[in-house]
Every structure is written in C-alpha cells, then in structure tokens.
C-alpha cells in the first residue's frame, strides 16, 4: 500500500491531522491499535483553548461544538478561607475558552473521516517504523500485523500520533535528542456524574488537597480531587467522594454541588514530560507522543491541536509549494509552545496542590503566591493569557 503520510494513532492528534491534510488533498492512512469503541470510551479533556476552537473550525469539524459547546469568559480559583475569585480571560486578554468533551471531538473527527472515506485501520498490532532517517534513496514505510497478516505502507512521511505509550518516539535512534520528565507525588481521582454543574470551571487549593469542578453538558458534571498516588478507585466509593469534594470547596460553592451516582471513576497520575526534538528525518511526533502535561492547566489536548496546526500546515507547504522550511523548523516551532504550556501546567500544579514534602515555609510561600495573584491585575492577566491559550506563531 502507498500513501503520502502514514499516521500512527487515531486519537485527537492523528484524526485532526488526517482531517487537515484531507482538506488540502493530501492522502493519509491512519493506523490504530485499539477499536473505535475503546478510543471513544476514554474520558479525557474538556477545556478547549481559542486556538483549538479555531483549528477545529479551519478543518471543518466545529459545527456540533459550536452548537453544544459552552463558551466561558474565565475560570474561578478558590483558596481555603478566602472568597473565590474569577480570572476573567475576556476582560484581560479578550479570549474565551470552550468546554466540550474530548470524546465529542473524537466522535466528530471519526464522523468526518467516515464521510470522506478516510482509510483508518484499527486493531493493528506490532507497528514498526522503517527507513525514516531521510538518507538518500531511502523511503519511509510502516509495517503492522492485522489479523495475523503483516502489511506494509510505503509513504513520504510518518506522523507519530500514538500517545505517550506509543512506538513512534521509541523508534527514534537511541541517543537522538533528550527527554525531560517530572512525576508529581499525587494523582487525580476523576468522577463523572449526571448532575447539574457549577457555573464556572473552578480550581480549589485546600489543606485537604486540590479539587476541580468542570463538566461536559448541562447535566453531566466532571469533578476531580487530588489523591495519594497509592489510592485505588475502590478506596473512593461515592459516599466517601462527595463529602470529601464538598469539604474542599468554599461553603458558598459547596452548597451548590449536586451529588449523584458516579457513572465513571478513574485515577490518573500527574507527570510532565517533553521529548526533544519532535522530529527525526521523515518522522514527526504530535501530541502526547512527544509531551505530557499534568491536566491542571487543561493543556494536553490543546497542545496536540497546536502540534497538528504546525505540522499539517508545514506538510501542505511541502506538497503545494515544494517549500520545506516549515517542516525543517517544525520541532523548534512546536516546542516553543509546548514549553510555554508545560511551564503553565507546572506552575498551576505547584500553586494549587498540597505537596507532602512542603515545609511550613513552602506552604506559606504558596499562600502568598495565590494572594499576589488575587491582588495583582498584571499577574492575573498573565495567568489569563496562558490559560486561554497563547497565539500560534506564523510558519517560517
Ligand atoms: P492519545 O493518547 O489521545 O491517542 C493516541 C492514540 O494512539 C490512541 O488511540 C492509542 O490507542 C493509539 N496508539 C498507541 N500506540 C499505538 C500503536 N503502537 N499503534 C497504533 N496506535 C497506537 N488533557 C487535557 O487537556 N485536559 C484533561 O483533563 C485531560 N485529562 C486526561 C486524563 C487522562 C487519564 C489522560 C491519559 C490524559 C488526559 N489529558 C487531558 C490529556 C489527553 O487529553 C491528551 O493530551 C490527548 O488525548 C492527546 O491526544 P493524542 O496525542 O492524540 O494522544
Ligand atoms: C475537564 O473538564 O476534564 C478538565 C477541565 C480543566 C482541567 C482539567 C480537566 O484543568
């Protein structure tokens, strides 16, 4: 089989890239390890930056998001013993963000792929990448097993969109590039319940730990609380979760939290991870395949979108204009935004969580930092700009 771009992974990065390329007449094949049902079963992100909304509009999959998504003018922060305060992203940086679940984006991307006849091969095994080092005379290919038969796709480029546990990043020759990693000493217990949500996406720093209120639809709330790494979902029955969640919110908000049976419950560890570079020869990494951020800044999905915007547009320049400058600069361009989001997520994680190793000084410094944020319009504007999403750079 031959194609122009072989895309490994049918998560948001892979499917947004396939959609963008198709809009410019560039052919791709998407390989996915799981079934479509499995991919659609993963509860993931919920907050879309302006640049992600713009990309979804550009690639023609924003119609249902425009109808069913919820635009927000800012985000609320609460700190034990204080009034919560609103970080107004419209008043400070003129930007909104949209609450629309990643699962919904995935459904919209799959539907668009089906409508255009995208070749998406799921349930593949033993995916391997070959000859992508751009040595003269060598052309990249990807091989895989499907129902026990080994297949091969000859291509011009390989897009590694296969997430943190995928094969693409690991296919880079040993010693190429470097990785930066930080594992946080706690996890997030996430709960989905068919109950009305709080009006604002609200982050809480409380002596009992971090908490977050978000949602997916009018009667589909998504809550998180910080839990010790060793906790398991079984340790958190609903009758323990709801009182703990409310204990962490300020009284005026806690009384508005509606309880109900959880329909999904999971614990995710928090880590920061960046692999540099995000390209090697004719292999390009997008999304979680290259970087992971703690969900505190709601950046993971949004970084996948910005990587796709950069790589997709660079590939269009290659095929349409024979111009490879943007492709050659992809990793550097994408990494500037990746590190900006990694820093934002790291900073918010440090600001809003209770760390087991904190000394009284560390704790006091965290409280003073939050106080400074509440009192300084400049600090608030900086946070608003980072949360609502930095603009994309123009391609070189
Ligand atoms: P994905 O991991 O979504 O997709 C990669 C795809 O590649 C998967 O479908 C996988 O099955 C496939 N794959 C893997 N190996 C393969 C192989 N060898 N061959 C073929 N296919 C292969 N982000 C936020 O912004 N906010 C959040 O609240 C948030 N919560 C999260 C909670 C959890 C538990 C996790 C794990 C992530 C969360 N994220 C969140 C981040 C998440 O949304 C990712 O950033 C987003 O899914 C990135 O998309 P992709 O890069 O496409 O990677
Ligand atoms: C979510 O809606 O799942 C969500 C919102 C904000 C975050 C993380 C997750 O920072």
């Amino acid at each position: 089989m031959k194609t122009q771009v072989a895309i490994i992974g049918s998560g948001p990065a892979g499917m947004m890239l396939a959609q963008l390329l198709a809009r410019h007449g560039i052919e791709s094949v998407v390989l996915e390890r799981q079934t479509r049902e499995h991919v659609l079963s993963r509860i993931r992100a919920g907050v879309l930056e302006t640049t992600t909304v713009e990309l979804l509009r550009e690639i023609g999959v924003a119609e249902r998001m425009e109808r069913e998504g919820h635009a927000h003018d800012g985000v609320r922060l609460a700190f034990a013993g204080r009034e919560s305060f609103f970080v107004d992203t419209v008043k400070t940086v003129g930007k909104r963000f949209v609450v629309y679940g990643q699962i919904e984006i995935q459904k919209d991307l799959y539907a668009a792929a089906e409508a255009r006849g995208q070749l998406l091969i799921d349930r593949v095994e033993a995916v391997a990448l070959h000859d992508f080092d751009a040595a003269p005379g060598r052309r990249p290919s990807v091989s895989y097993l499907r129902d026990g038969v080994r297949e091969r796709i000859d291509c011009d480029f390989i897009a590694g969109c296969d997430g943190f546990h995928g094969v693409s990043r690991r296919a880079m020759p040993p010693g190429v590039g470097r990785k930066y990693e930080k594992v946080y000493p706690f996890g997030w217990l996430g709960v989905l319940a068919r109950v009305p949500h709080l009006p604002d996406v609200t982050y809480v720093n409380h002596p009992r730990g971090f908490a977050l209120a978000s949602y997916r639809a009018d009667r589909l709330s998504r809550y998180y609380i910080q839990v010790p790494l060793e906790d398991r979902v079984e340790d958190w029955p609903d009758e323990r979760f709801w009182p703990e969640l409310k204990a962490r919110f300020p009284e005026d908000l806690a009384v508005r939290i509606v309880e109900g049976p959880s329909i999904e419950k999971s614990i995710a560890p928090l880590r920061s991870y960046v692999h540099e570079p995000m390209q090697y020869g004719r292999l390009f990494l997008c999304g979680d395949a290259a970087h992971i951020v703690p969900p505190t800044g709601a950046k993971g999905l949004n970084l996948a979108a910005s990587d796709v915007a950069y790589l997709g547009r660079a590939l269009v320049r290659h095929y349409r204009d024979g111009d490879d400058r943007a492709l050659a600069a992809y990793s550097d361009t994408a990494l500037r935004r990746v590190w900006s989001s990694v820093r934002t997520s790291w900073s918010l994680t440090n600001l809003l969580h209770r760390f087991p190793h904190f000394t009284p000084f560390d704790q006091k410094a965290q409280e003073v930092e939050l106080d400074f944020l509440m009192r300084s319009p400049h600090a608030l504007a900086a946070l608003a700009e980072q949360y609502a999403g930095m603009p994309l750079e123009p391609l070189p």
Side-chain angles (χ1 to χ4, degrees), residues 204-328:
V204 183
N205 175 318
H206 187 279
R208 298 174 72 97
F210 166 87
L212 167 61
S214 183
Y215 66 98
R216 293 293 178 270
D218 290 344
R219 295 188 61 80
L220 190 57
S221 289
R222 179 78 171 153
Y223 288 110
Y224 299 91
I225 56 171
Q226 169 186 349
V227 293
L229 271 178
E230 55 276 13
D231 275 16
R232 295 161 304 127
V233 170
E234 305 75 69
D235 301 329
W236 286 93
D238 288 359
E239 50 275 17
R240 179 186 177 200
F241 170 75
W242 289 111
E244 181 60 36
L245 177 80
K246 290 182 168 180
R248 299 187 186 189
F249 274 78
E251 186 59 29
D252 65 313
L253 294 173
V255 294
R256 300 174 66 179
I257 292 175
V258 177
E259 298 185 23
S262 58
I263 58 171
E264 191 273 345
K265 201 176 276 176
S266 54
I267 293 182
L270 271 65
R271 73 156 50 95
S272 296
Y273 180 95
V274 179
H275 184 279
E276 291 187 350
M278 290 173 54
Q279 68 188 90
Y280 179 83
R282 290 192 159 230
L283 168 61
F284 297 84
L285 303 181
C286 269
D288 280 16
H291 42 71
I292 292 280
V293 283
T296 326
K299 294 299 174 198
L301 172 61
N302 294 295
L303 277 179
S306 48
D307 290 349
V308 165
Y310 286 133
L311 179 59
R313 293 169 184 166
L315 286 167
V316 170
R317 287 266 188 94
H318 167 84
Y319 283 107
R320 187 188 59 197
D321 313 331
D323 175 353
D324 282 354
R325 283 173 301 167
L327 264 185

Side-chain angles (χ1 to χ4, degrees), residues 127-181:
V127 170
L129 291 72
H130 312 282
D131 302 328
F132 53 84
D133 59 2
R138 287 188 353 162
R139 308 213 32 83
S141 64
V142 177
S143 64
Y144 61 92
L145 278 178
R146 182 116 190 312
D147 301 331
V149 177
R150 179 145 295 272
E151 306 283 356
R152 195 181 88 181
I153 302 173
D154 293 320
C155 52
D156 299 334
F157 299 99
I158 302 172
C161 302
D162 46 351
F164 186 66
H165 302 290
V167 293
S168 304
R169 185 182 67 249
R170 294 178 174 83
M172 285 192 173
V176 165
R178 65 176 295 183
K179 67 178 185 183
Y180 300 82
E181 186 159 21

